[in-house]
Amino acid sequence: MTAEQAAEAAPISAQAVEEALLAFLAERIKTSVAVDQDLFGSGLVSSMFAMQLVVHLEEAYDIAIIGPELKLDNFRTVQAMTALVLRLSAARDG
Amino acid sequence: MADALADERAFVGELVGDRPAAWDLAGELPVELLQKLGAKGILCAEVPAAFGGLGAGSLDNGELTAYVGGLCSSLRSIMTSQGIAAWTVRRFGDREQRRRLLADLTGGRLAAVAFSEPEAGSDLSAMRTRISPDGGGVVVDGRKKWVTGARYADLLVVLGRHGDGAAAVVVPADAPGVHVEPIAAPLGCRAGGHANVRLEGVRLPASSVLGGGGQPLSMLFTTALTYGRMSVAWGCVGIIRACLESATGHTKHRRQSGRPLAGHQLVAGQLADLLVAEQVSTRVCEHASRAWESGSPDLVIEAVLAKHVSAGHAARSAATAVQLLASAGAEDGHTAARAYRDAKLMEIIEGSNEICRLILADHALAGVD
Ligand SMILES: Cc1cc2nc3c(=O)[nH]c(=O)nc-3n(C[C@H](O)[C@H](O)[C@H](O)COP(=O)(O)OP(=O)(O)OC[C@H]3O[C@@H](n4cnc5c(N)ncnc54)[C@H](O)[C@@H]3O)c2cc1C
């Protein structure tokens, strides 16, 4: 399931978001990562990709990630980003 | 061509008139003029109406930026800085900061953005400026280099390290410990108000740190720079248009060896080059602005491409314009002479030619298994 399709099928599951994120990372940085791997600490994320990630999540899940949500801790791992997406989508729908 | 900001364009045209040559020679812009433009929201036209801005899209603001860039790159560079500041606040500020600071930035207060440091130019990851906790607030220490508009600014958006991440902090230019040291005689954008800034134990309330800080440094500066790249790219389109207009106007009327200059094929060939530069740069900027407006992740790379293409064309077009005008364009203050000096610097800022090419090469390689 693509991220776009995931966004259609509410409510989105953590597993679906994780899978879509792993696929996006594999496509963009040509590396398969673990869901709990520190992406920023490991140098896998270029400065360009850091912003692309944010814009991608906003576009794919129809959420706005701004202000205090843009913290390193929310982006460090696939798990953290998944939690962020689920929380912001729930806030938007709730 | 976009008409959405026609009134704003006319307002700028009226205020600016034929003064850019004198501003270039004096190395200074009238600060009241900047405040007037700021209070109309023109310096950061993409700020949404809900925050007091003009709510322009990237394409419309791009055309406005090109218009200003064609008149005066110093003024356009102030627009770029104000726009980066507003964009950074919009992305990273919390609700209260967005409301308060975007009202300031569309209400006549002027901002500059400080990334570069003596040891961190192209490599911003080497940034050393620190934003540390200090009681209930923060204290900022560091040195920043070549900050456009710092001389006129009320607010400095300063990027620095914060915990194990980074932050952008909004520093009033008159806060104790802030030292703004103007650069005496820049090569180009001479009236841009560039200054080196020393921050020594600058104490500020916690509410000065956008979104509470703790962002990844790379995300922070790429987000800010991406707006800057769009703005510089469109500003370069303006430089190229000014060169094209100046060169065609001159070569059509000045006669040498029994015919207008434009009637000599070697001259005509260069006019064609200018037109190609103007069209190519406009198209690549439009393309990037559409990516920006649609919120595509590709906007990050498209902005680099647009900036690189337009800056290169602007530098070459300015050299061509000086060549075709010859002595008529060789006087400081003249459109061609200003373009020649200003455009060269566009190949350095917001990602130099080399840095842009490295990013583009990475992008090209990313598609290869
Ligand atoms: C007109 C103007 C306005 C500016 N406004 C601002 C502003 O508002 N705010 C701000 O913070 N800064 C500003 N700057 C500073 C600007 O961002 C830096 O000049 C720029 O990042 C380059 O850094 P540097 O000058 O230290 O050059 P360096 O980084 O020392 O580079 C020198 C040369 O080496 C090349 N180079 C460097 N690293 C590499 C590499 N890895 N591979 C290949 N080549 C490399 C560069 O491309 C360049 O040609 C401004 C500069 C100018 C000229």
Side-chain angles (χ1 to χ4, degrees), chain B residues 283-308:
Chain B
R283 298 289 95 80
V284 74
C285 285
E286 287 171 350
H287 186 67
S289 278
R290 281 194 204 99
W292 182 285
E293 289 185 357
S294 69
S296 154
D298 294 335
L299 72 89
V300 186
I301 199 82
E302 301 295 355
V304 174
L305 184 67
K307 189 272 168 185
H308 183 51

Side-chain angles (χ1 to χ4, degrees), chain A residues 24-51:
Chain A
F24 181 72
L25 287 165
E27 179 203 320
R28 294 284 173 140
I29 59 178
K30 302 278 170 223
T31 316
S32 51
V33 300
V35 290
D36 59 351
Q37 191 172 342
D38 184 341
L39 300 170
F40 283 83
S42 55
L44 281 171
V45 175
S46 70
S47 57
M48 300 294 287
F49 190 61
M51 180 178 177

Side-chain angles (χ1 to χ4, degrees), chain B residues 211-272:
Chain B
Q215 296 92 5
L217 177 61
S218 55
M219 186 189 290
L220 199 54
F221 68 67
T222 303
T223 301
L225 283 177
T226 298
Y227 181 96
R229 286 170 178 150
M230 297 293 301
S231 180
V232 168
W234 277 107
C236 286
V237 167
I239 295 179
I240 301 166
R241 288 178 184 167
C243 289
L244 177 62
E245 189 186 322
S246 177
T248 49
H250 182 75
T251 57
K252 195 162 181 178
H253 297 112
R254 172 156 170 88
R255 300 176 68 87
Q256 286 292 282
S257 307
R259 63 179 74 168
L261 291 174
H264 298 287
Q265 288 190 345
L266 289 176
V267 170
Q270 297 185 66
L271 296 176

Side-chain angles (χ1 to χ4, degrees), chain A residues 27-28 30 40 46-48 50-52 54-56 58-59 65-68 70-73 75-76, chain B residues 91-93 98 164 211 213-216 218-219 221-223 226 295-298 300 304 359 366 369:
Chain A
E27 179 203 320
R28 294 284 173 140
K30 302 278 170 223
F40 283 83
S46 70
S47 57
M48 300 294 287
M51 180 178 177
Q52 286 168 340
V54 177
V55 183
H56 166 73
E58 291 190 318
E59 188 195 34
I65 313 177
I66 52 175
L70 287 167
K71 282 203 195 327
L72 180 54
D73 287 342
F75 291 87
R76 217 184 273 280
Chain B
R91 290 303 305 191
F92 294 100
R98 288 199 295 273
D164 63 349
Q215 296 92 5
S218 55
M219 186 189 290
F221 68 67
T222 303
T223 301
T226 298
S296 154
D298 294 335
V300 186
V304 174
I359 293 171
D369 282 317

Side-chain angles (χ1 to χ4, degrees), chain B residues 77 81 84 112-124 144-150 186 188-189 194 225 342 345-356 358:
Chain B
S77 71
S81 295
I84 298 177
V113 188
F115 310 84
S116 312
E117 299 181 2
E119 303 305 323
S122 299
D123 179 15
L124 286 175
K144 294 291 182 183
K145 241 179 61 172
W146 267 89
V147 181
T148 298
C189 298
H194 308 101
L225 283 177
D342 298 340
L345 298 187
M346 299 307 108
E347 294 194 305
I348 293 173
I349 59 163
E350 314 289 346
S352 64
N353 282 351
E354 290 73 21
I355 296 302
C356 289
L358 289 173

